[in-house]
Amino acid sequence: MTVSLLQRILHERDEMRPAERRVADYVGASPSEVIHMSMARLSELCSVSDPTIMRFCRRFGFEGYQDFKLNLAQSLVPSAPFAYEQITPQDSVANIVRKTCRNSLNAVQRLAEDLDPEQVGEGARLLQAASWTGIYATGISEVNALDAEHKFQRLGMRCQALLGKQRQWMHAERARPGEVALIFSQSGHTKQMVEVAIAARAGGARVVSVAAADSPLARVSDAVIAVLPYDRTELMTPLASRLNHHLVTNMLVTAIAIASGSEFPDQLPALDSWQTDKI
Amino acid sequence: MTVSLLQRILHERDEMRPAERRVADYVGASPSEVIHMSMARLSELCSVSDPTIMRFCRRFGFEGYQDFKLNLAQSLVPSAPFAYEQITPQDSVANIVRKTCRNSLNAVQRLAEDLDPEQVGEGARLLQAASWTGIYATGISEVNALDAEHKFQRLGMRCQALLGKQRQWMHAERARPGEVALIFSQSGHTKQMVEVAIAARAGGARVVSVAAADSPLARVSDAVIAVLPYDRTELMTPLASRLNHHLVTNMLVTAIAIASGSEFPDQLPALDSWQTDKI
DNA sequence: TGTCAGAATGTAGTTATGCTATATTTTGGC
DNA sequence: GCCAAAATATAGCATAACTACATTCTGACA
């Protein structure tokens, strides 16, 4: 969970020597003014030299005052972190609605913070170039595979969601160059998925996995879209956090739609708009 | 609803002359990079002069490039309320990731505001009491039906996702008292879903629909869980807003799990925790 | 079609700012 | 008190932001 710059400044204040402490106090007291100030002005107001300001910025990992100011500006924007709230047996339906939405917001925010766009871009490129894509998932993640199948097929991609151990094995063993195996696994520790990845690669296919970084599945993949798994080991993954794979699919679909020249890439014409009759 | 700087840039783009438009396009495409750039670098990349950048910043009310960059940096921070940002063909993958998350946050927030917990509660009661539930959806919403099937079955409920016109018709015609038809339709205008609802009710089953209020489907349902449809009539429903039915399913599952006495109602033990081997 | 005025845009130059190199002062251990 | 290291400042350079003025483009009108 991200700690804001202002909090870090407050937290490290007491470890600073007097001059830097004066900077910390001033920034902490008047951040909105500071973001619009030159370094010279700030150093004058704090009765310190310019290089002390630089050292202050460097203490927090910034290359210079410019980067520091930009981050400080961003840390002024009110954004809930939406803390996770467990739903308990005593909760009313109204609380269920509220907490479900809140926990979903938490899951989306975490994804926004953690996801590396380079990885999404790489995954999209491999998928777009594939002659055929097998989409693999087990258990409750199977719905992610089906969702991806629908959406990719809407883009005209040749692909299939492969459910069930035998069907998955049958396709992974016959994987060939030019194909892609797209694998969804929250933990990246599902044995079947790891074996599928190994088999698909052995046949010459590329493996794109949507899984936890540094997981067994990640280690046998060509491209990983790393999605941080929920880290409460004593509890099972809450329903809300399962949104993240769903969102990654949307991103892949959108990236491929753009690369394919779509005008409205985030609005796939719903199948029901041309296949279903309306009243 | 606050309009962000990025949206204003997109909105005013078409009124600009070519040079300023090049700036608008570049800033719109790569805001995260722009905030860290010098004016000289940006002007070089856009093939415009420095004063053109200044004029661009002044157009939006800023005194200079510094103020512009600070505001742009802040407009990149997801904040409540999360304004919808359309993904355009010029968007980088980083923008796709950012906007997908942002638009998903927007969709969840809208749901939190609009959803009536009474309706969710009523829907959950009917579903919990059902001897058997048929789950109906068409087109891209079929994945919602499959998701619901998985989760309800995990609760021990007798249910089945019914996909395809003939299978749906076959089951709706043979609906009987004590059963429930759960129907997902974003618009509530899908003809097949309305006909299914009418047939199921004629057989004595109860109809729970997750659809737009005041829709044809809502009018032939026993219980409606009203989900506001996306109101951009000229555009198709964006991918992000399709989260809402997924969340309603989570709420129903959680409410039924609580009513059934579950200790951790929002954390279905994932199927994969007892059906899949881990490494 | 040519002319002209206003708008759009660029070039050249100045000032301010961010940043670095080096000097000076302060602090703490012995 | 001495000395070395850490903290801090002074001085100066490079470049970034910005301004003043010049040039080019565009559209209206004769």
Side-chain angles (χ1 to χ4, degrees):
Chain A
M1 186 59 72
T2 309
V3 181
S4 81
L5 176 55
L6 281 169
Q7 287 172 305
R8 288 165 63 202
I9 290 169
L10 189 63
H11 186 247
E12 294 187 31
R13 177 203 181 279
D14 291 340
E15 304 159 26
M16 297 178 196
R17 306 301 299 168
E20 281 193 35
R21 191 181 295 172
R22 289 200 293 281
V23 179
D25 289 344
Y26 196 90
V27 172
S30 311
S32 303
E33 285 79 67
V34 168
I35 60 175
H36 295 290
M37 278 180 199
S38 69
M39 188 192 298
R41 180 66 178 146
L42 180 58
S43 61
E44 180 187 317
L45 287 171
C46 299
S47 305
V48 302
S49 64
D50 291 5
T52 303
I53 305 288
M54 282 301 293
R55 283 187 284 270
F56 180 83
C57 298
R58 293 247 164 82
R59 166 191 285 271
F60 296 103
F62 301 104
E63 288 189 15
Y65 185 59
Q66 284 298 308
D67 287 342
F68 168 79
K69 280 201 300 183
L70 284 167
N71 192 286
L72 183 62
Q74 291 187 320
S75 74
L76 293 181
V77 179
S79 74
F82 298 98
Y84 176 77
E85 281 193 75
Q86 181 155 355
I87 296 176
T88 69
Q90 292 77 40
D91 278 318
S92 62
V93 174
N95 263 9
I96 292 168
V97 171
R98 183 176 63 80
K99 286 184 182 181
T100 298
C101 291
R102 187 183 171 94
N103 296 345
S104 301
L105 290 169
N106 171 275
V108 178
Q109 270 186 330
R110 282 162 42 101
L111 188 69
E113 283 168 15
D114 295 341
L115 200 54
D116 180 352
E118 289 297 320
Q119 292 177 354
V120 175
E122 180 61 18
R125 280 187 290 275
L126 287 175
L127 286 164
Q128 195 191 5
S131 56
W132 179 83
T133 299
I135 311 172
Y136 302 82
T138 60
I140 205 164
S141 296
E142 289 181 350
V143 79
N144 291 121
L146 291 164
D147 183 49
E149 179 195 68
H150 265 262
K151 288 171 180 170
F152 289 143
Q153 287 185 350
R154 190 61 190 80
L155 291 179
M157 288 168 58
R158 299 296 178 228
C159 64
Q160 184 175 0
L162 303 163
L163 309 180
K165 200 164 193 174
Q166 291 203 338
R167 187 185 307 231
Q168 289 178 349
W169 198 244
M170 182 170 69
H171 283 86
E173 278 192 320
R174 288 166 173 70
R176 63 197 66 161
E179 295 181 351
V180 167
L182 173 62
I183 305 177
F184 291 96
S185 170
Q186 291 275 347
S187 64
H189 282 256
T190 313
K191 189 173 174 212
Q192 170 77 355
M193 294 299 94
V194 176
E195 288 171 351
V196 160
I198 291 165
R201 280 180 100 196
R206 311 295 284 278
V207 174
V208 175
S209 62
V210 183
D214 289 325
S215 59
L217 178 58
R219 285 192 279 275
V220 293
S221 302
D222 296 290
V224 182
I225 299 173
V227 178
L228 206 57
Y230 203 74
D231 62 356
R232 297 189 183 229
T233 52
E234 73 274 9
L235 299 174
M236 281 147 292
T237 306
L239 290 176
S241 67
R242 290 174 178 272
L243 282 186
N244 46 25
H245 284 186
H246 184 83
L247 293 200
V248 169
T249 298
N250 285 353
M251 292 168 190
L252 290 170
V253 167
T254 305
I256 294 167
I258 287 181
S260 307
S262 170
E263 190 180 2
F264 300 109
D266 68 335
Q267 296 135 27
L268 293 180
L271 284 177
D272 50 6
S273 71
W274 58 273
Q275 278 198 0
T276 58
D277 297 331
K278 302 291 185 189
I279 293 196
Chain B
M1 177 71 71
T2 307
V3 181
S4 78
L5 175 56
L6 281 169
Q7 287 174 303
R8 287 164 64 202
I9 290 170
L10 189 62
H11 186 248
E12 294 189 32
R13 177 204 182 274
D14 291 340
E15 303 158 26
M16 296 177 194
R17 304 302 297 166
E20 282 194 32
R21 189 181 296 170
R22 291 199 294 279
V23 180
D25 289 344
Y26 197 91
V27 172
S30 309
S32 303
E33 284 81 64
V34 168
I35 60 175
H36 296 290
M37 279 183 198
S38 68
M39 189 192 298
R41 180 67 179 143
L42 180 59
S43 61
E44 181 187 317
L45 288 171
C46 300
S47 305
V48 303
S49 64
D50 291 4
T52 302
I53 303 287
M54 283 301 292
R55 283 185 280 266
F56 180 83
C57 298
R58 293 250 164 83
R59 167 190 284 269
F60 295 103
F62 300 105
E63 289 188 17
Y65 186 58
Q66 283 298 307
D67 287 343
F68 169 78
K69 280 202 297 183
L70 284 167
N71 191 285
L72 184 60
Q74 291 186 319
S75 75
L76 294 180
V77 180
S79 68
F82 302 100
Y84 175 78
E85 281 194 74
Q86 181 156 359
I87 295 177
T88 69
Q90 292 76 41
D91 277 318
S92 61
V93 174
N95 262 10
I96 291 169
V97 170
R98 184 175 64 79
K99 287 183 181 179
T100 298
C101 290
R102 187 182 175 97
N103 295 345
S104 301
L105 291 168
N106 171 272
V108 177
Q109 264 186 326
R110 283 163 40 104
L111 188 69
E113 285 166 16
D114 295 340
L115 201 54
D116 181 353
E118 288 298 320
Q119 292 177 354
V120 175
E122 178 61 18
R125 279 188 289 276
L126 288 176
L127 286 164
Q128 194 192 7
S131 57
W132 180 82
T133 300
I135 311 172
Y136 302 81
T138 61
I140 207 163
S141 297
E142 289 181 351
V143 78
N144 291 119
L146 291 164
D147 183 50
E149 179 195 68
H150 266 262
K151 289 172 180 170
F152 289 144
Q153 287 184 353
R154 190 60 191 78
L155 290 179
M157 288 167 59
R158 299 298 180 227
C159 64
Q160 184 174 3
L162 304 163
L163 309 181
K165 200 161 189 176
Q166 291 201 343
R167 187 185 306 231
Q168 289 179 349
W169 198 243
M170 183 172 70
H171 282 86
E173 278 191 321
R174 288 167 170 72
R176 62 199 66 162
E179 293 182 351
V180 167
L182 173 62
I183 305 177
F184 291 96
S185 171
Q186 291 274 346
S187 63
H189 282 258
T190 314
K191 190 176 174 207
Q192 170 76 356
M193 296 298 94
V194 174
E195 288 171 351
V196 160
I198 289 165
R201 283 181 94 197
R206 309 295 285 276
V207 174
V208 175
S209 62
V210 183
D214 289 325
S215 59
L217 179 57
R219 284 191 280 275
V220 293
S221 300
D222 296 288
V224 183
I225 299 173
V227 178
L228 204 60
Y230 202 73
D231 63 357
R232 298 190 183 223
T233 53
E234 73 276 8
L235 298 175
M236 280 148 289
T237 306
L239 290 176
S241 68
R242 290 173 179 271
L243 283 185
N244 45 26
H245 284 186
H246 185 84
L247 293 201
V248 169
T249 298
N250 286 352
M251 291 169 191
L252 291 171
V253 166
T254 304
I256 294 167
I258 285 181
S260 308
S262 170
E263 189 181 2
F264 300 110
D266 68 334
Q267 295 135 25
L268 292 181
L271 282 177
D272 50 6
S273 71
W274 57 271
Q275 280 200 355
T276 59
D277 297 332
K278 302 292 184 187
I279 292 199

